[in-house]
Amino acid sequence: MERTTDDQEALEVLGVLWERERIASRDRFREERDLLPFADRIRRGQALRALEVDEVAPAAGDMSLLWLTCGVSAELEGFRLSPGQPVLLWRDRPDQKEALAGTLTRRRGGRLGVMVHGDTGWAEEKALNLDRDDSDATFRRGAQALHFFREAPAKEPTGRLRTVLFGDDEPTFGPPDTTPLIDGELNEPQREAAAHALAAKTVALIHGPPGTGKTRTLVEVIRRHVAAGRRVLAAAASNQAIDNLGERLVAAGIDVLRLGHPARVSPALEPCLLSTQLAASEETRLAREWLREAQELRRGLNRTRRGTTDWKARREERRQTRNAIGRLHKDARHQFSRTRRALIEGASVVCSTAAGADAKLLGSMRWDVVVLDEATQAADPIALSALSRGDVAVLAGDPCQLPPTVIDAQAERDGLGTTLFERLAAQSPASCRLLEVQHRMHASIAAHPNASHYEGRLVNHESVAAHTLADLGVADDPLRPGPLILIDTAGKGWDDERGPDDPSTRNPQQAERTAAEVRRLISRGLPPRDVAVIAPYDAQVRLLRSLLEEERQAGLSVRSIDGFQGQEREAVIVDLVRSNFAGQVGFLSDTRRLNVAFTRARRLLLVVGDTATITRLNYLAGFLETVEAGEGYVSVWSDEADLL
């Protein structure tokens, strides 16, 4: 979807695409849950059976945290749902009246945490089943944001932003910001990007490739806005990204209020949660007393009074009691609402996911500035949910990394897969600033991503350009020299495959070799917590987790590419999975995902793959050339990856 002189028409088109995506999401959910037998949903890692309530813990906001144990440990190991996923607890069938909707929190040992509202007594009686649940809230919020932008008067801030994002107006900027730096250690591109964002009158873009300090730059921008007395709404496409930004702001001494469900928020930000602060306030305590009083009055209504003969007086008494209950409930609701609004309005910075900046909670509240991180991962309607709240927008991201997740392939091609950030950066290059100095990767690891995605513009900071595992006291490996290694499995016949009940691709024999490489690396003296294993397919991730269970208990991370976005480790091992006679690479052809995988390592990147298959993709053929130039090519035939 291109920018057009008719911004209203562009928004109408976007609304149609968003509705198609909503239908595609709903249909996929129904297919996977309603049409698949429960046993198949379990095999796919989307459901669990024989769950027993082991513990019920009170949580903020009138919620309860159910700790569940699974009677079939193997099924829990294959469970694929992530924290923050809506789930349904049921006994006879998913649509039964008593079923409890909740949110998956986390695993702790052999237990699973689910946050729920309401009475948990029913759940504690007998064994439960768990299914993935669907939520239409994100689509409703996106549709509301589209409507708000369409209806905004042209002369108001949202109307002016609309003509920049969807029409032919150019972003405007005031004089360069000359306020003193708060973070004196910012490098020159970071300083320039911060000053650029602070001078924006409508919208500014910050392009932050891996390791270039995008979050640090955003913290500087937000701190200086706050110092100038401006209120900031900080948002991101994911909970992980906004938690990362929120934690950095808290460490910098900024007053942060975090919106969101406690199950989806980092424990480090729990004191900043709206629900936590609401529960701790004196005003809320008073409102809860009113609710308890109302409950006592309701119980009194249900008691039968002996010896009462004046029924007319009794009816009048019951009428007055009901009125009193109604007044108590009304007063409590108003008290909660006033307290909630006061907390939000009193915070210097409010942090939320982009989709979480919804009208039900925030009403008509606005902020001076909206800072949207991961803007290149947010589909336009989700981005607009946050941008509709502010007078000025700062968008940060990297279009060379993960794109928005779009289910409807045609909607993606028609424009839903391209973000506001990408279109504006292409149409108005002056609106964007690139952070050019990377502080993460050894120069050899950065070479191929830099050349392939960033036109060679990235500069390796001297502190990381030559750092190695040896600097950490890790023993050398003469057969795997240097920081960039490719273990070539070509010729072994380790073909990729799909299970009968799982659409995801796996490669069991290559997974065995990847696990052996992990153990060889750890045997050199590198702690498991400093190592990550990444695979592009969920089925391979599950295999690797099973093979490396002992190492995972010691801190090893095994994740999908999407699941490891925004993280880094000293050493990263990437299993590319695909190996077949036809040379099919599947969604490895999306080089943005490979860019994420290849830029997570600081001192060692080791890739396991079949060059006969993967080099059918030009991007990976170029990667092989980079590896060979650095003498990091190793054939799987040369050794068995024994421990050192």
Side-chain angles (χ1 to χ4, degrees):
M1 188 180 64
E2 298 180 356
R3 292 172 73 206
T4 171
T5 54
D6 190 343
D7 48 35
Q8 294 285 356
E9 179 183 346
L11 284 165
E12 291 290 346
V13 171
L14 185 57
V16 172
L17 298 180
W18 191 236
E19 176 62 15
R20 280 166 46 186
E21 175 67 6
R22 184 190 69 80
I23 293 171
S25 176
R26 182 200 63 194
D27 289 348
R28 172 181 283 190
F29 174 78
R30 287 182 175 177
E31 176 187 358
E32 292 182 353
R33 194 188 81 177
D34 298 343
L35 300 182
L36 282 176
F38 185 49
D40 286 348
R41 302 202 298 271
I42 292 173
R43 279 194 291 270
R44 292 190 179 197
Q46 299 170 355
L48 291 169
R49 60 190 169 97
L51 296 171
E52 300 279 355
V53 176
D54 184 57
E55 179 185 352
V56 180
D62 291 328
M63 289 179 285
S64 298
L65 177 59
L66 298 181
W67 284 106
L68 306 167
T69 58
C70 184
V72 187
S73 58
E75 292 175 0
L76 182 59
E77 178 59 32
F79 189 56
R80 292 168 54 185
L81 301 190
S82 303
Q85 170 73 50
V87 295
L88 195 68
L89 296 172
W90 54 276
R91 186 165 292 127
D92 300 319
R93 60 186 190 279
D95 60 350
Q96 69 183 115
K97 181 180 178 181
E98 296 85 358
L100 275 177
T103 303
L104 193 64
T105 59
R106 56 191 180 275
R107 297 186 192 186
R108 181 177 293 169
R111 302 195 302 172
L112 197 69
V114 176
M115 195 79 74
V116 300
H117 281 279
D119 184 11
T120 64
W122 171 84
E124 299 176 57
E125 294 173 2
K126 296 179 182 178
L128 299 168
N129 302 307
L130 180 147
D131 255 306
R132 181 170 66 96
D133 202 9
D134 189 28
S135 174
D136 199 45
T138 296
F139 291 102
R140 289 198 307 272
R141 293 165 185 173
Q144 289 167 357
L146 289 170
H147 176 77
F148 183 81
F149 263 81
R150 282 196 302 266
E151 299 299 318
K155 294 185 178 180
E156 291 189 0
T158 301
R160 292 195 295 271
L161 184 59
R162 179 184 66 224
T163 60
V164 172
L165 296 177
F166 298 100
D168 57 0
D169 284 2
E170 292 292 318
T172 55
F173 296 85
D177 184 271
T178 58
T179 57
L181 284 170
I182 297 177
D183 184 350
E185 296 183 2
L186 294 180
N187 59 43
E188 188 56 36
Q190 291 169 339
R191 295 182 184 190
E192 183 182 346
H196 173 70
L198 288 159
K201 290 187 175 181
T202 50
V203 60
L205 309 180
I206 298 176
H207 183 178
T212 56
K214 172 172 58 71
T215 304
R216 187 171 187 173
T217 304
L218 291 182
V219 169
E220 174 73 11
V221 171
I222 293 170
R223 292 175 75 183
R224 283 161 73 179
H225 273 307
V226 170
R230 304 184 191 103
R231 297 176 65 241
V232 178
L233 174 63
S238 68
N239 280 287
Q240 180 178 318
I242 194 57
D243 282 347
N244 182 36
L245 180 57
E247 289 174 23
R248 298 278 194 95
L249 290 167
V250 169
I254 297 296
D255 173 31
V256 166
L257 183 71
R258 175 67 160 96
L259 308 183
H261 196 292
R264 300 185 180 100
V265 175
S266 163
L269 286 180
E270 187 174 340
C272 302
L273 267 169
L274 173 61
S275 56
T276 301
Q277 297 193 16
L278 192 62
S281 71
E282 181 62 26
E283 293 80 3
T284 298
R285 186 194 63 78
L286 182 60
R288 293 193 193 286
E289 288 182 1
W290 293 339
L291 291 177
R292 281 193 290 270
E293 184 178 345
Q295 182 64 21
E296 286 299 318
L297 289 173
R298 183 177 289 106
R299 291 194 186 101
L301 281 175
N302 297 327
R303 298 189 188 106
T304 300
R305 295 191 178 183
R306 296 179 181 178
T308 302
T309 57
D310 190 345
W311 295 107
K312 183 177 180 180
R314 176 75 183 280
R315 284 195 298 271
E316 176 61 20
E317 180 184 353
R318 290 175 66 85
R319 185 188 68 81
Q320 292 181 5
T321 300
R322 290 194 184 97
N323 289 341
I325 292 171
R327 287 193 299 270
L328 287 167
H329 276 283
K330 181 179 179 180
D331 290 346
R333 285 195 301 270
H334 287 171
Q335 185 81 324
F336 279 126
S337 179
R338 285 192 298 268
T339 306
R340 190 163 46 233
R341 186 176 186 89
L343 287 169
I344 295 172
E345 291 180 341
S348 300
V349 178
V350 172
C351 291
S352 170
T353 60
D358 64 293
K360 184 177 180 181
L361 176 64
L362 299 178
S364 60
M365 281 187 263
R366 293 185 63 83
W367 280 260
D368 300 303
V369 182
V370 174
V371 173
L372 178 61
D373 196 5
E374 281 187 342
T376 50
Q377 287 185 249
D380 287 359
I382 298 304
L384 295 179
S385 295
L387 301 186
S388 64
R389 295 283 171 186
D391 297 343
V392 175
V394 177
L395 277 61
D398 181 7
C400 301
Q401 295 191 71
L402 293 180
T405 299
V406 180
I407 295 171
D408 188 297
Q410 188 58 49
E412 181 178 24
R413 288 190 292 270
D414 289 346
L416 195 58
T418 305
T419 61
L420 295 169
F421 186 108
E422 294 170 88
R423 292 195 299 275
L424 189 58
Q427 296 288 334
S428 304
S431 67
C432 187
R433 293 293 182 272
L434 174 70
L435 302 178
E436 298 176 341
V437 182
Q438 73 88 9
H439 294 255
R440 175 183 297 163
M441 296 166 278
H442 187 285
S444 297
I445 300 173
H448 182 64
N450 190 15
S452 301
H453 292 283
Y454 306 107
E455 302 175 337
R457 295 176 62 185
L458 298 189
V459 176
N460 304 306
H461 192 270
E462 61 182 10
S463 65
V464 302
H467 67 180
T468 65
L469 291 178
D471 301 333
L472 303 178
V474 177
D476 290 334
D477 187 342
L479 298 181
R480 286 152 183 73
L484 184 62
I485 305 294
L486 172 65
I487 307 295
D488 185 6
T489 67
K492 277 289 189 179
W494 295 346
D495 292 344
D496 58 52
E497 63 182 35
R498 290 187 178 183
D501 301 309
D502 192 340
S504 184
T505 302
R506 63 185 183 183
N507 189 326
Q509 292 166 300
Q510 188 161 296
E512 292 277 0
R513 180 56 186 243
T514 298
E517 292 292 341
V518 172
R519 297 187 185 102
R520 181 184 178 98
L521 173 60
I522 292 173
S523 74
R524 294 165 56 187
L526 186 63
R529 66 176 180 275
D530 290 333
V531 184
V533 182
I534 301 175
Y537 292 91
D538 288 338
Q540 192 78 346
V541 170
R542 294 196 298 275
L543 271 177
L544 289 165
R545 285 177 173 170
S546 177
L547 292 169
L548 293 164
E549 177 59 30
E550 183 177 341
E551 290 78 10
R552 288 177 58 218
Q553 294 296 327
L556 174 74
S557 177
V558 182
R559 304 289 293 275
S560 66
I561 294 175
D562 293 40
F564 208 72
Q565 165 82 334
Q567 300 184 52
E568 63 179 49
R569 290 292 189 278
E570 298 296 343
V572 172
I573 296 178
V574 179
D575 183 341
L576 294 179
V577 181
R578 299 312 298 258
S579 176
N580 53 78
F581 181 76
Q584 295 177 347
V585 296
F587 62 68
L588 291 184
S589 58
D590 185 348
T591 60
R592 292 172 295 182
R593 279 191 159 80
L594 289 176
N595 187 41
V596 172
F598 289 175
T599 56
R600 303 302 98 195
R602 289 174 48 78
R603 301 170 191 264
L604 172 67
L605 173 63
L606 188 150
V607 177
V608 182
D610 177 357
T611 58
T613 297
I614 64 175
T615 55
R616 304 286 184 94
L617 185 67
N618 289 336
Y619 178 85
L620 289 171
F623 176 74
L624 174 59
E625 292 177 3
T626 302
V627 170
E628 290 177 329
E631 300 182 349
Y633 176 85
V634 178
S635 172
V636 75
W637 295 92
S638 62
D639 61 54
E640 298 295 329
D642 297 324
L643 303 182
L644 292 181

